[in-house]
Amino acid sequence: GAVVSQHPSWVICKSGTSVKIECRSLDFQATTMFWYRQFPKQSLMLMATSNEGSKATYEQGVEKDKFLINHASLTLSTLTVTSAHPEDSSFYICSARDGGLVNEQFFGPGTRLTVL
Amino acid sequence: AQSVTQLDSQVPVFEEAPVELRCNYSSSVSVYLFWYVQYPNQGLQLLLKYLSGSTLVKGINGFEAEFNKSQTSFHLRKPSVHISDTAEYFCAVRALQGAQKLVFGQGTRLTINP
C-alpha cells in the first residue's frame, strides 16, 4: 500500500519558537493532504486541507497564522507551528489522498510535539 | 454534514473471545464508511472500507464489518481476538460528493486480556 512519512516523529521545543513538520507521500502523488490534531485519548480533529499549489482551507477555529501549511509539491506538505505554546502540545497526523480511482486516504505515523 | 457515533469508548475482552465494536452514523447524503486502527503513538491504518456492493466487508487481521443502511450502522467484528489487537479503533465516514472530508467517531479502545 501507499506510504506516508512524517518528520520528525517527535519534537520538543521551547515556548515561543516555531516548529516545522514535514509530510511526504513516498510512492504516490498526493493531490490533497490533510492535517489532523489528536489530543490524548481523543479522536482526530481536522485542522486543514491543502491542495497542491493552492492555499490551505482551514477548519473553523483553527488559526491559519499560527498553523502555516504549505503544499508546494505533489509529494510534500509542511505544517509550521509558529510561536508555539504549551497548549499546542499534541500529536499531529498528516494524511494524503491518492487522487486515483480508489480515492483513499493514507495516514502518516504522526509527530508528537511537546512545547515546554 | 455527517456525524459518527461510536457507542462504546472502551471494550475489554478476553483473548480468543469474539468482539463487536459499534458504529452509527448520520448523513443526509450517501457516504463511504471506514474503520481504522491506531496503535500507541502511531498513525492510522485502514482496516476495511465500504464503498459499494456487498454489505459485508472483510478487512485485514481477520476483521469484518457489515453496512446496514436502514440502521445507519457499520459495526466491526472479529470472531476471535488476540493480544495484538489491543488498540484504538476509529469509525469514519466520507460523503460521496461535496467536501469529501473524513469525519471520525470518538474512538473505541479495545483491550484484550489474557
Side-chain angles (χ1 to χ4, degrees):
Chain A
V3 178
V4 175
S5 70
Q6 278 184 244
H7 178 81
S9 56
W10 59 269
V11 56
I12 301 173
C13 69
K14 292 183 178 180
S15 186
T17 61
S18 294
V19 174
K20 180 184 284 188
I21 302 170
E22 290 186 351
C23 176
R24 293 181 185 273
S25 58
L26 298 186
D27 49 5
F28 68 99
Q29 292 188 327
T31 51
T32 306
M33 286 187 168
F34 305 85
W35 286 95
Y36 296 85
R37 183 174 181 176
Q38 186 180 32
F39 291 103
K41 299 185 179 182
Q42 293 189 29
S43 189
L44 281 72
M45 290 176 46
L46 180 63
M47 299 174 66
T49 303
S50 72
N51 293 295
E52 184 263 340
S54 59
K55 290 184 178 180
T57 301
Y58 290 81
E59 295 298 300
Q60 193 171 9
V62 178
E63 300 175 61
K64 61 181 181 181
D65 294 331
K66 182 167 187 61
F67 298 100
L68 301 178
I69 292 172
N70 184 282
H71 191 168
S73 77
L74 285 172
T75 59
L76 174 64
S77 176
T78 59
L79 167 67
T80 302
V81 183
T82 61
S83 186
H85 289 93
E87 57 266 29
D88 299 324
S89 298
S90 190
F91 195 52
Y92 293 88
I93 302 175
C94 77
S95 176
R97 178 175 292 169
D98 184 341
L101 193 62
V102 173
N103 210 4
E104 187 176 320
Q105 266 181 250
F106 301 95
F107 288 80
T111 296
R112 173 76 57 193
L113 170 63
T114 302
V115 185
L116 303 177
Chain B
Q2 293 78 47
S3 67
V4 178
T5 301
Q6 291 181 241
L7 298 158
D8 305 296
S9 60
Q10 297 184 59
V11 174
V13 181
F14 285 109
E15 194 172 16
E16 297 183 8
V19 69
E20 179 178 80
L21 305 184
R22 297 179 293 170
C23 172
N24 286 89
Y25 70 93
S26 173
S27 177
S28 57
V29 299
S30 295
V31 293
Y32 297 134
L33 297 123
F34 305 83
W35 274 100
Y36 289 90
V37 60
Q38 184 181 34
Y39 299 102
N41 295 311
Q42 294 187 28
L44 272 64
Q45 180 181 1
L46 180 67
L47 274 178
L48 48 76
K49 61 188 175 189
Y50 173 78
L51 303 180
S52 65
S54 173
T55 57
L56 183 62
V57 181
K58 293 190 183 296
I60 63 171
N61 301 342
F63 284 93
E64 64 179 31
E66 185 153 21
F67 170 51
N68 188 320
K69 188 174 183 179
S70 63
Q71 296 186 2
T72 61
S73 68
F74 191 53
H75 301 332
L76 181 71
R77 294 191 288 261
K78 186 169 182 177
S80 176
V81 295
H82 303 285
I83 293 284
S84 59
D85 293 322
T86 295
E88 190 85 18
Y89 292 80
F90 292 96
C91 180
V93 301
R94 194 180 87 221
L96 270 65
Q97 306 293 336
Q100 297 188 357
K101 296 184 292 187
L102 269 178
V103 176
F104 287 91
Q106 302 89 329
T108 296
R109 172 153 297 279
L110 177 62
T111 303
I112 309 302
N113 298 307

